[in-house]
Amino acid sequence: MSQVMFDLDVLRTFSTGVALGSFARAADKLGRSTSAVSAQLKKLESQAGTALFRKAGRGLELTDAGETLLAYAHRLLELNDEASAAMRGVDLQGAVRLGLQEDFGETLLPAVLGRFARAHPKVRIEACVARSAELRERLELGQLDLALAWDAGDQPLSPYAERVARMPLLWIGPRVPERVDAPWWTEREHRGAARQVRSKEPLPLIMLDAPCPLREIVIAALDRAGVPWRRAFGSASLSALWAAASAGLGLTVRTPFGLPSHVSVLDRSVLSLPALPQISLVLYRAQAHPEAPASRLAALLLEAVRRQVQPAGLPMRENPPLETRTKVIRHGNAKLPAPVG
């Protein structure tokens, strides 16, 4: 049996169509006709030897095989793009000063720095992990080239900032499926193991020390809803907040980005908590056209953010969210490949 050699160009079309939620959009972005895209998808299913899509109303959804191939497509394309960047930037030299909030230190930094270092070994990266206000101040002082930070919309963006994603704010508490001993919890049956805050007791909040835009958002939402609250734990460290939430000292609020395994998102309707707004994830640049090392690192950061954001079905810029097995991929006028087998 001959070895199957997947076509990277076809895999890119496949990956792009899923990422955009539409193969018609993918055709437009890649500069191809919809018939060409349909032919590529048919070729891909033929190479895979199994159906990658199934009908879902007027659109498509990935089969289990499609989900599996998509994961491999991401890895193959990433390695290809890394090799291409290494060849183009083999002589790239200099330094990049990068600022990040603590949310991204463990989820983004290792992979991004590893890819960048392999492709551009002569470039030195100086990383700074700090809160959003400090990162913006460092940018204004010329101490950073790039910064990735949350923006709650309370301040105007700098001229070279780019909103790259919108993320929901979620109520977060401990991941304890059996029983919580903290006195402010009471248990009731809800999908097997749900909990409810005692309505007459102030809600214990776990918050970062001021200044923190999320503090103001959460407190304002609770006050508007008439929910009494108290400050149960405060710290300047996000990891300390996760530890306090895991221990059951109270509830905290963050985005779904980089949640550790020992905490979980809570159902606000069960707990009678108010809905919270979305906040923006922003890539700040010190100048409109950064030098080549900073520009390349910015591209890798944006790609890594897309990988983290879109599997959760969250929008990045104005693009539709990544469609998963439970969501429909619109194909527009592109014809669908007939299932194989």
Side-chain angles (χ1 to χ4, degrees):
M1 180 177 178
S2 61
Q3 183 71 35
V4 174
M5 299 294 291
F6 286 108
D7 187 327
L8 289 177
D9 193 44
V10 175
L11 290 178
R12 193 176 299 279
T13 297
F14 172 57
S15 175
T16 302
V18 175
L20 295 180
S22 165
F23 288 109
R25 287 176 179 265
D28 183 62
K29 180 175 181 178
L30 298 172
R32 295 188 176 91
S33 66
T34 54
S35 60
V37 167
S38 294
Q40 285 189 315
L41 296 177
K42 185 175 182 180
K43 174 183 178 180
L44 186 60
E45 284 205 319
S46 177
Q47 287 184 318
T50 186
L52 303 177
F53 310 94
R54 54 174 165 255
K55 290 275 186 76
R58 299 178 61 187
L60 296 173
E61 62 184 16
L62 293 175
T63 62
D64 289 343
E67 295 272 359
T68 299
L69 183 59
L70 180 64
Y72 280 106
H74 286 158
R75 291 167 59 187
L76 289 167
L77 291 169
E78 180 179 295
L79 188 59
N80 175 82
D81 294 346
E82 183 179 310
S84 176
M87 294 303 97
R88 293 195 310 270
V90 67
D91 294 324
L92 209 60
Q93 299 185 43
V96 183
R97 299 165 300 174
L98 171 65
L100 293 166
Q101 288 199 236
E102 197 173 351
D103 307 62
F104 315 117
E106 294 184 4
T107 55
L108 286 182
L109 204 54
V112 170
L113 293 186
R115 287 189 63 190
F116 189 90
R118 288 191 297 271
H120 312 293
K122 298 179 183 179
V123 177
R124 185 179 74 256
I125 297 179
E126 300 172 4
C128 166
V129 178
R131 310 249 306 260
S132 58
E134 181 180 345
L135 294 177
R136 285 193 293 264
E137 182 179 353
R138 285 173 174 260
L139 276 163
E140 293 173 0
L141 294 174
Q143 298 174 353
L144 291 175
D145 300 305
L146 300 169
L148 190 65
W150 298 114
D151 176 73
D154 54 338
Q155 295 182 8
L157 292 181
S158 62
Y160 313 127
E162 176 184 4
R163 295 187 191 274
V164 297
R166 294 282 292 171
M167 304 286 281
L169 292 175
L170 304 171
W171 293 99
I172 296 165
R175 181 180 290 278
V176 183
E178 294 80 23
R179 174 172 292 278
V180 177
D181 295 329
W184 56 276
W185 285 108
T186 61
E187 281 202 90
R188 76 176 188 180
E189 193 66 24
H190 177 75
R191 296 176 186 165
R195 296 156 185 85
Q196 181 179 13
V197 178
R198 290 176 180 168
S199 59
K200 295 183 180 180
E201 294 186 3
L203 177 72
L205 290 182
I206 298 171
M207 298 181 289
L208 287 175
D209 295 336
C212 174
L214 292 191
R215 287 168 55 99
E216 309 306 321
I217 292 174
V218 173
I219 290 171
L222 290 172
D223 289 345
R224 282 194 303 270
V227 178
W229 59 273
R230 64 181 176 86
R231 189 184 183 202
F233 183 88
S235 174
S237 165
L238 181 59
S239 59
L241 260 66
W242 294 140
S246 177
L249 299 187
L251 300 187
T252 192
V253 170
R254 300 298 290 182
T255 75
F257 203 110
L259 290 183
S261 59
H262 52 276
V263 300
S264 61
V265 176
L266 303 178
D267 186 339
R268 70 172 187 84
S269 63
V270 171
L271 302 177
S272 301
L273 295 171
L276 298 169
Q278 293 184 331
I279 62 173
S280 295
L281 180 56
V282 178
L283 179 64
Y284 296 88
R285 295 176 174 86
Q287 50 188 314
H289 302 289
E291 305 235 348
S295 180
R296 175 58 184 157
L297 184 57
L300 289 180
L301 281 170
L302 289 175
E303 183 179 337
V305 168
R306 175 178 60 80
R307 295 280 174 80
Q308 289 281 335
V309 170
Q310 290 184 334
L314 301 169
M316 179 170 176
R317 300 182 188 171
E318 300 302 318
N319 292 337
L322 174 72
E323 304 297 346
T324 65
R325 206 180 327 165
T326 59
K327 295 185 179 180
V328 174
I329 303 170
R330 300 297 174 186
H331 52 83
N333 297 322
K335 295 181 179 179
L336 310 179
V340 174

